Amino acid sequence: MNTSAMAQSGRSRAPRMARGSVTEGAARAGFAARGVIYLLVGALALQIAFGGTGRQADRGGALQELAQKPFGAVLLWALGIGLVGMALWRLSEALFGSIGKDGRSARKRLMAGVRFAFYVFVAYSVLSFALSRHQSGGSSDQQSRDATARVLEIPAGQWLVGAAGIGIVVAGGWIAVRAVLRKYHDKLRLGQMSRRTRQLVDVTGVAGGAARGLVFAVAGVFAVRAAIDYEPDKAKGLDDTLRTFADTPLGPWLLICVAAGLVLFGVFSFAMARWRRV
């Protein structure tokens, strides 16, 4: 009887282990793909700060930059497949729960579902670009203006755009605060890192996460302004949001700091691909 129960337990454990291995591989590929995008966007933003590029500092600009590299088509497909892996991992978290004591809570599963939908969209846009080799969807700025204009046309559209903007501001602040407080420590295998490595990861995690959160928050402010003034052109995508930093009294230096932070977040994403607990 005990032998039979052990055999059944072993058979049931095998599929779970296989699923876990596939999920882990998908998650790590997704973090690496995210790191590539942030590295390229940050590099493009740095070039804008120094007046050296006409490309958009957003996902579309990053894909165009990647397409110009040797084996660009292969790199684009690898990037898209990695983002598909990220989406599948988020889907598994929504369905089966994530690590941590409250990983199976409704809140965590809902957040995972939202992230799954986001990465499906991102992966689709990257794979579409890999197929057509042109950015048919337009820049992030134009997409933001078009989406805002459509929402403003529906009943209570101003309230919806305003609420979405406030939500983005809050999300940006949440991202930045968690980064500064190093909440990501809970998800990393710190025991596998040397002291030097942990210090480097903290530099990229804190600075990168703070810069990312700041960009989100500022983009949300522009969405709120678009709702208040009923002017969709005041909504800004990633590229316009980044360029706004250069228009402050600090001039291009603030954009340089933010762009460097996005580059660091790209590096931090590679660290997550290596050491995150999945």
Side-chain angles (χ1 to χ4, degrees):
M1 181 66 70
N2 290 339
T3 302
S4 176
M6 291 174 62
Q8 291 179 359
S9 176
R11 286 194 297 268
S12 64
R13 192 183 305 118
R16 289 198 300 270
M17 292 176 63
R19 186 180 68 207
S21 298
V22 171
T23 300
E24 181 175 350
R28 301 199 187 286
F31 279 114
R34 188 183 73 175
V36 171
I37 291 178
Y38 272 97
L39 275 177
L40 291 173
V41 170
L44 288 170
L46 282 172
Q47 292 179 49
I48 289 173
F50 291 108
T53 183
R55 291 196 189 280
Q56 299 279 317
D58 56 14
R59 185 172 59 251
L63 296 180
Q64 290 174 357
E65 187 75 13
L66 196 62
Q68 302 301 316
K69 304 299 181 184
F71 307 104
V74 175
L75 295 173
L76 287 171
W77 280 103
L79 192 66
I81 292 171
L83 291 168
V84 169
M86 178 70 92
L88 292 176
W89 172 53
R90 293 304 187 184
L91 176 61
S92 73
E93 287 191 322
L95 295 176
F96 306 110
S98 59
I99 60 172
K101 59 183 180 181
D102 60 341
R104 295 179 179 272
S105 67
R107 180 180 65 85
K108 285 291 185 69
R109 291 193 179 198
L110 177 60
M111 291 177 62
V114 172
R115 287 168 175 156
F116 162 70
F118 171 77
Y119 280 107
V120 165
F121 170 77
V122 176
Y124 173 78
S125 67
V126 172
L127 292 174
S128 296
F129 184 93
L131 281 171
S132 62
R133 300 301 290 273
H134 70 278
Q135 194 179 355
S136 59
S139 69
S140 62
D141 304 319
Q142 189 60 50
Q143 290 173 351
S144 296
R145 289 191 289 268
D146 290 345
T148 303
R150 285 194 294 269
V151 176
L152 286 176
E153 291 175 354
I154 67 177
Q158 274 185 287
W159 290 101
L160 291 174
V161 172
I166 292 172
I168 295 172
V169 172
V170 171
W174 181 76
I175 290 170
V177 169
R178 287 181 63 84
V180 172
L181 295 178
R182 303 178 187 181
K183 292 293 187 180
Y184 53 82
H185 278 189
D186 299 339
K187 300 177 181 178
L188 289 174
R189 295 169 176 169
L190 297 176
Q192 297 181 2
M193 301 180 192
S194 66
R195 180 173 175 272
R196 175 72 171 173
T197 299
R198 285 198 299 269
Q199 290 174 340
L200 292 174
V201 169
D202 278 339
V203 170
T204 61
V206 173
R212 182 179 179 232
L214 176 62
V215 172
F216 269 75
V218 173
V221 170
F222 285 122
V224 173
R225 284 184 56 190
I228 293 173
D229 298 338
Y230 203 80
E231 293 185 25
D233 286 347
K234 289 190 176 181
K236 296 182 183 293
L238 178 57
D239 179 73
D240 268 355
T241 299
L242 288 171
R243 291 175 189 269
T244 301
F245 291 113
D247 297 330
T248 65
L250 294 176
W253 292 107
L254 180 57
L255 175 56
I256 290 171
C257 291
V258 173
L262 294 181
V263 170
L264 289 175
F265 186 78
V267 177
F268 176 71
S269 294
F270 293 136
M272 294 288 276
R274 171 66 176 82
W275 287 292
R276 194 189 195 283
R277 294 188 294 116
V278 178

